[in-house]
Amino acid sequence: MGTYISQSDVTARLRVLTALDVATGLLDGASFIPAAEAMFAEDCNVLYADMTANQQTLAKAAMIAYCAALVVASAPTEKIEGVNASITPITASDKVKMHDLLMAEYEKYLKKCSSARSWINSSITSDYTGRDELSS
């Protein structure tokens, strides 16, 4: 079971993006919610407990996006028929698009709640005229 995000958080995010249905309990497996929370902890330079309320909300959104990306990456590309269930596949190209979208979402939220990461893509420099400029 996740510490910060739940199965319903991830399934709600997936429902917005795809008809992919995830079995109850599957998301609590080591490669989904716990992995998403651990990845966030590794990527973020701020402890969750030390974040502001807004940063914690963004942190949860980041973890949900990362977990959803893991689920999408694990989705079958061929239909699976079973005795009690049928799993609808996701085409390989759709998997790539959805995964990229979710990872971009993860990075966006991560940058907002991690002070060091938020400055990776921009820095303030001064030229010889003494003017400050923002460079990307």
Side-chain angles (χ1 to χ4, degrees), residues 88-108:
T88 304
I90 297 176
T91 66
S93 63
D94 284 348
K95 279 178 66 166
V96 170
K97 289 176 193 172
M98 286 187 283
H99 182 270
D100 290 349
L101 180 135
L102 289 163
M103 289 307 293
E105 187 176 306
Y106 171 71
E107 286 291 329
K108 177 178 75 175

PDB file of all heavy atoms in Angstrom, residues 88-108:
ATOM      1  N   THR A  88      -8.446  -5.466 -22.810  1.00  0.00           N
ATOM      2  CA  THR A  88      -8.344  -4.760 -24.078  1.00  0.00           C
ATOM      3  C   THR A  88      -6.925  -4.223 -24.235  1.00  0.00           C
ATOM      4  O   THR A  88      -6.390  -3.604 -23.313  1.00  0.00           O
ATOM      5  CB  THR A  88      -9.344  -3.589 -24.119  1.00  0.00           C
ATOM      6  OG1 THR A  88     -10.645  -4.112 -23.864  1.00  0.00           O
ATOM      7  CG2 THR A  88      -9.322  -2.886 -25.452  1.00  0.00           C
ATOM      8  N   PRO A  89      -6.305  -4.432 -25.377  1.00  0.00           N
ATOM      9  CA  PRO A  89      -4.924  -3.999 -25.566  1.00  0.00           C
ATOM     10  C   PRO A  89      -4.813  -2.499 -25.878  1.00  0.00           C
ATOM     11  O   PRO A  89      -5.792  -1.843 -26.221  1.00  0.00           O
ATOM     12  CB  PRO A  89      -4.482  -4.821 -26.773  1.00  0.00           C
ATOM     13  CG  PRO A  89      -5.729  -5.002 -27.562  1.00  0.00           C
ATOM     14  CD  PRO A  89      -6.827  -5.145 -26.534  1.00  0.00           C
ATOM     15  N   ILE A  90      -3.611  -1.988 -25.759  1.00  0.00           N
ATOM     16  CA  ILE A  90      -3.273  -0.632 -26.182  1.00  0.00           C
ATOM     17  C   ILE A  90      -2.236  -0.791 -27.286  1.00  0.00           C
ATOM     18  O   ILE A  90      -1.278  -1.547 -27.131  1.00  0.00           O
ATOM     19  CB  ILE A  90      -2.664   0.180 -25.021  1.00  0.00           C
ATOM     20  CG1 ILE A  90      -3.672   0.341 -23.890  1.00  0.00           C
ATOM     21  CG2 ILE A  90      -2.201   1.544 -25.504  1.00  0.00           C
ATOM     22  CD1 ILE A  90      -3.114   1.060 -22.671  1.00  0.00           C
ATOM     23  N   THR A  91      -2.424  -0.107 -28.383  1.00  0.00           N
ATOM     24  CA  THR A  91      -1.439  -0.221 -29.465  1.00  0.00           C
ATOM     25  C   THR A  91      -0.093   0.318 -28.992  1.00  0.00           C
ATOM     26  O   THR A  91      -0.037   1.182 -28.110  1.00  0.00           O
ATOM     27  CB  THR A  91      -1.880   0.569 -30.715  1.00  0.00           C
ATOM     28  OG1 THR A  91      -1.890   1.960 -30.394  1.00  0.00           O
ATOM     29  CG2 THR A  91      -3.250   0.123 -31.212  1.00  0.00           C
ATOM     30  N   ALA A  92       0.971  -0.183 -29.590  1.00  0.00           N
ATOM     31  CA  ALA A  92       2.318   0.231 -29.194  1.00  0.00           C
ATOM     32  C   ALA A  92       2.505   1.739 -29.353  1.00  0.00           C
ATOM     33  O   ALA A  92       3.080   2.397 -28.483  1.00  0.00           O
ATOM     34  CB  ALA A  92       3.356  -0.534 -30.006  1.00  0.00           C
ATOM     35  N   SER A  93       1.996   2.299 -30.441  1.00  0.00           N
ATOM     36  CA  SER A  93       2.166   3.741 -30.654  1.00  0.00           C
ATOM     37  C   SER A  93       1.379   4.553 -29.629  1.00  0.00           C
ATOM     38  O   SER A  93       1.856   5.588 -29.154  1.00  0.00           O
ATOM     39  CB  SER A  93       1.763   4.134 -32.076  1.00  0.00           C
ATOM     40  OG  SER A  93       0.392   3.875 -32.295  1.00  0.00           O
ATOM     41  N   ASP A  94       0.194   4.082 -29.245  1.00  0.00           N
ATOM     42  CA  ASP A  94      -0.580   4.768 -28.210  1.00  0.00           C
ATOM     43  C   ASP A  94       0.109   4.663 -26.850  1.00  0.00           C
ATOM     44  O   ASP A  94       0.086   5.614 -26.059  1.00  0.00           O
ATOM     45  CB  ASP A  94      -1.995   4.200 -28.113  1.00  0.00           C
ATOM     46  CG  ASP A  94      -2.895   4.668 -29.241  1.00  0.00           C
ATOM     47  OD1 ASP A  94      -2.497   5.601 -29.973  1.00  0.00           O
ATOM     48  OD2 ASP A  94      -3.987   4.089 -29.399  1.00  0.00           O
ATOM     49  N   LYS A  95       0.725   3.512 -26.573  1.00  0.00           N
ATOM     50  CA  LYS A  95       1.464   3.358 -25.323  1.00  0.00           C
ATOM     51  C   LYS A  95       2.584   4.377 -25.235  1.00  0.00           C
ATOM     52  O   LYS A  95       2.768   5.016 -24.201  1.00  0.00           O
ATOM     53  CB  LYS A  95       2.056   1.946 -25.218  1.00  0.00           C
ATOM     54  CG  LYS A  95       1.093   0.898 -24.761  1.00  0.00           C
ATOM     55  CD  LYS A  95       1.723  -0.480 -24.721  1.00  0.00           C
ATOM     56  CE  LYS A  95       2.803  -0.608 -23.703  1.00  0.00           C
ATOM     57  NZ  LYS A  95       3.187  -2.000 -23.422  1.00  0.00           N
ATOM     58  N   VAL A  96       3.310   4.552 -26.316  1.00  0.00           N
ATOM     59  CA  VAL A  96       4.428   5.502 -26.332  1.00  0.00           C
ATOM     60  C   VAL A  96       3.913   6.919 -26.104  1.00  0.00           C
ATOM     61  O   VAL A  96       4.459   7.673 -25.292  1.00  0.00           O
ATOM     62  CB  VAL A  96       5.220   5.408 -27.654  1.00  0.00           C
ATOM     63  CG1 VAL A  96       6.216   6.547 -27.787  1.00  0.00           C
ATOM     64  CG2 VAL A  96       5.927   4.066 -27.748  1.00  0.00           C
ATOM     65  N   LYS A  97       2.842   7.292 -26.793  1.00  0.00           N
ATOM     66  CA  LYS A  97       2.279   8.647 -26.645  1.00  0.00           C
ATOM     67  C   LYS A  97       1.814   8.893 -25.212  1.00  0.00           C
ATOM     68  O   LYS A  97       2.099   9.943 -24.632  1.00  0.00           O
ATOM     69  CB  LYS A  97       1.097   8.841 -27.601  1.00  0.00           C
ATOM     70  CG  LYS A  97       1.487   8.948 -29.047  1.00  0.00           C
ATOM     71  CD  LYS A  97       0.239   9.041 -29.921  1.00  0.00           C
ATOM     72  CE  LYS A  97       0.579   8.827 -31.372  1.00  0.00           C
ATOM     73  NZ  LYS A  97      -0.633   8.725 -32.204  1.00  0.00           N
ATOM     74  N   MET A  98       1.070   7.941 -24.655  1.00  0.00           N
ATOM     75  CA  MET A  98       0.559   8.103 -23.293  1.00  0.00           C
ATOM     76  C   MET A  98       1.696   8.133 -22.273  1.00  0.00           C
ATOM     77  O   MET A  98       1.688   8.938 -21.338  1.00  0.00           O
ATOM     78  CB  MET A  98      -0.431   7.000 -22.954  1.00  0.00           C
ATOM     79  CG  MET A  98      -1.764   7.177 -23.644  1.00  0.00           C
ATOM     80  SD  MET A  98      -3.007   5.997 -23.095  1.00  0.00           S
ATOM     81  CE  MET A  98      -2.484   4.524 -23.956  1.00  0.00           C
ATOM     82  N   HIS A  99       2.686   7.255 -22.463  1.00  0.00           N
ATOM     83  CA  HIS A  99       3.822   7.221 -21.543  1.00  0.00           C
ATOM     84  C   HIS A  99       4.570   8.548 -21.577  1.00  0.00           C
ATOM     85  O   HIS A  99       4.904   9.112 -20.527  1.00  0.00           O
ATOM     86  CB  HIS A  99       4.754   6.053 -21.903  1.00  0.00           C
ATOM     87  CG  HIS A  99       5.904   5.922 -20.971  1.00  0.00           C
ATOM     88  ND1 HIS A  99       7.101   6.558 -21.178  1.00  0.00           N
ATOM     89  CD2 HIS A  99       6.038   5.244 -19.805  1.00  0.00           C
ATOM     90  CE1 HIS A  99       7.924   6.277 -20.201  1.00  0.00           C
ATOM     91  NE2 HIS A  99       7.298   5.482 -19.342  1.00  0.00           N
ATOM     92  N   ASP A 100       4.829   9.063 -22.768  1.00  0.00           N
ATOM     93  CA  ASP A 100       5.543  10.334 -22.894  1.00  0.00           C
ATOM     94  C   ASP A 100       4.761  11.477 -22.261  1.00  0.00           C
ATOM     95  O   ASP A 100       5.330  12.332 -21.575  1.00  0.00           O
ATOM     96  CB  ASP A 100       5.835  10.650 -24.364  1.00  0.00           C
ATOM     97  CG  ASP A 100       6.887   9.730 -24.966  1.00  0.00           C
ATOM     98  OD1 ASP A 100       7.546   8.976 -24.207  1.00  0.00           O
ATOM     99  OD2 ASP A 100       7.044   9.761 -26.197  1.00  0.00           O
ATOM    100  N   LEU A 101       3.452  11.494 -22.464  1.00  0.00           N
ATOM    101  CA  LEU A 101       2.601  12.519 -21.871  1.00  0.00           C
ATOM    102  C   LEU A 101       2.658  12.462 -20.340  1.00  0.00           C
ATOM    103  O   LEU A 101       2.814  13.487 -19.670  1.00  0.00           O
ATOM    104  CB  LEU A 101       1.159  12.335 -22.358  1.00  0.00           C
ATOM    105  CG  LEU A 101       0.149  13.326 -21.832  1.00  0.00           C
ATOM    106  CD1 LEU A 101      -0.736  13.799 -22.975  1.00  0.00           C
ATOM    107  CD2 LEU A 101      -0.691  12.707 -20.752  1.00  0.00           C
ATOM    108  N   LEU A 102       2.558  11.267 -19.798  1.00  0.00           N
ATOM    109  CA  LEU A 102       2.587  11.107 -18.343  1.00  0.00           C
ATOM    110  C   LEU A 102       3.963  11.440 -17.757  1.00  0.00           C
ATOM    111  O   LEU A 102       4.052  12.032 -16.678  1.00  0.00           O
ATOM    112  CB  LEU A 102       2.159   9.693 -17.953  1.00  0.00           C
ATOM    113  CG  LEU A 102       0.673   9.409 -18.169  1.00  0.00           C
ATOM    114  CD1 LEU A 102       0.402   7.915 -18.169  1.00  0.00           C
ATOM    115  CD2 LEU A 102      -0.158  10.109 -17.093  1.00  0.00           C
ATOM    116  N   MET A 103       5.027  11.093 -18.449  1.00  0.00           N
ATOM    117  CA  MET A 103       6.359  11.421 -17.952  1.00  0.00           C
ATOM    118  C   MET A 103       6.620  12.928 -18.019  1.00  0.00           C
ATOM    119  O   MET A 103       7.283  13.486 -17.136  1.00  0.00           O
ATOM    120  CB  MET A 103       7.431  10.642 -18.722  1.00  0.00           C
ATOM    121  CG  MET A 103       7.429   9.153 -18.390  1.00  0.00           C
ATOM    122  SD  MET A 103       7.537   8.782 -16.615  1.00  0.00           S
ATOM    123  CE  MET A 103       9.189   9.347 -16.254  1.00  0.00           C
ATOM    124  N   ALA A 104       6.097  13.606 -19.032  1.00  0.00           N
ATOM    125  CA  ALA A 104       6.204  15.061 -19.101  1.00  0.00           C
ATOM    126  C   ALA A 104       5.438  15.696 -17.938  1.00  0.00           C
ATOM    127  O   ALA A 104       5.889  16.670 -17.329  1.00  0.00           O
ATOM    128  CB  ALA A 104       5.677  15.573 -20.442  1.00  0.00           C
ATOM    129  N   GLU A 105       4.287  15.123 -17.634  1.00  0.00           N
ATOM    130  CA  GLU A 105       3.485  15.584 -16.494  1.00  0.00           C
ATOM    131  C   GLU A 105       4.270  15.381 -15.192  1.00  0.00           C
ATOM    132  O   GLU A 105       4.312  16.267 -14.335  1.00  0.00           O
ATOM    133  CB  GLU A 105       2.179  14.802 -16.469  1.00  0.00           C
ATOM    134  CG  GLU A 105       1.166  15.253 -15.473  1.00  0.00           C
ATOM    135  CD  GLU A 105      -0.130  14.456 -15.603  1.00  0.00           C
ATOM    136  OE1 GLU A 105      -0.699  14.380 -16.706  1.00  0.00           O
ATOM    137  OE2 GLU A 105      -0.559  13.901 -14.575  1.00  0.00           O
ATOM    138  N   TYR A 106       4.891  14.217 -15.040  1.00  0.00           N
ATOM    139  CA  TYR A 106       5.709  13.931 -13.866  1.00  0.00           C
ATOM    140  C   TYR A 106       6.806  14.982 -13.706  1.00  0.00           C
ATOM    141  O   TYR A 106       6.986  15.549 -12.636  1.00  0.00           O
ATOM    142  CB  TYR A 106       6.321  12.527 -13.986  1.00  0.00           C
ATOM    143  CG  TYR A 106       7.358  12.214 -12.929  1.00  0.00           C
ATOM    144  CD1 TYR A 106       6.981  12.003 -11.602  1.00  0.00           C
ATOM    145  CD2 TYR A 106       8.703  12.121 -13.251  1.00  0.00           C
ATOM    146  CE1 TYR A 106       7.924  11.707 -10.624  1.00  0.00           C
ATOM    147  CE2 TYR A 106       9.651  11.832 -12.280  1.00  0.00           C
ATOM    148  CZ  TYR A 106       9.262  11.625 -10.980  1.00  0.00           C
ATOM    149  OH  TYR A 106      10.194  11.357 -10.011  1.00  0.00           O
ATOM    150  N   GLU A 107       7.546  15.242 -14.777  1.00  0.00           N
ATOM    151  CA  GLU A 107       8.643  16.210 -14.734  1.00  0.00           C
ATOM    152  C   GLU A 107       8.147  17.609 -14.385  1.00  0.00           C
ATOM    153  O   GLU A 107       8.778  18.327 -13.614  1.00  0.00           O
ATOM    154  CB  GLU A 107       9.394  16.237 -16.074  1.00  0.00           C
ATOM    155  CG  GLU A 107      10.281  15.034 -16.302  1.00  0.00           C
ATOM    156  CD  GLU A 107      11.488  14.995 -15.375  1.00  0.00           C
ATOM    157  OE1 GLU A 107      12.002  16.058 -14.963  1.00  0.00           O
ATOM    158  OE2 GLU A 107      11.932  13.881 -15.053  1.00  0.00           O
ATOM    159  N   LYS A 108       6.999  17.999 -14.942  1.00  0.00           N
ATOM    160  CA  LYS A 108       6.442  19.329 -14.683  1.00  0.00           C
ATOM    161  C   LYS A 108       6.131  19.488 -13.196  1.00  0.00           C
ATOM    162  O   LYS A 108       6.511  20.483 -12.577  1.00  0.00           O
ATOM    163  CB  LYS A 108       5.175  19.531 -15.514  1.00  0.00           C
ATOM    164  CG  LYS A 108       4.475  20.867 -15.254  1.00  0.00           C
ATOM    165  CD  LYS A 108       3.261  21.050 -16.132  1.00  0.00           C
ATOM    166  CE  LYS A 108       2.120  20.198 -15.633  1.00  0.00           C
ATOM    167  NZ  LYS A 108       0.865  20.430 -16.373  1.00  0.00           N
TER     168      LYS A 108
END
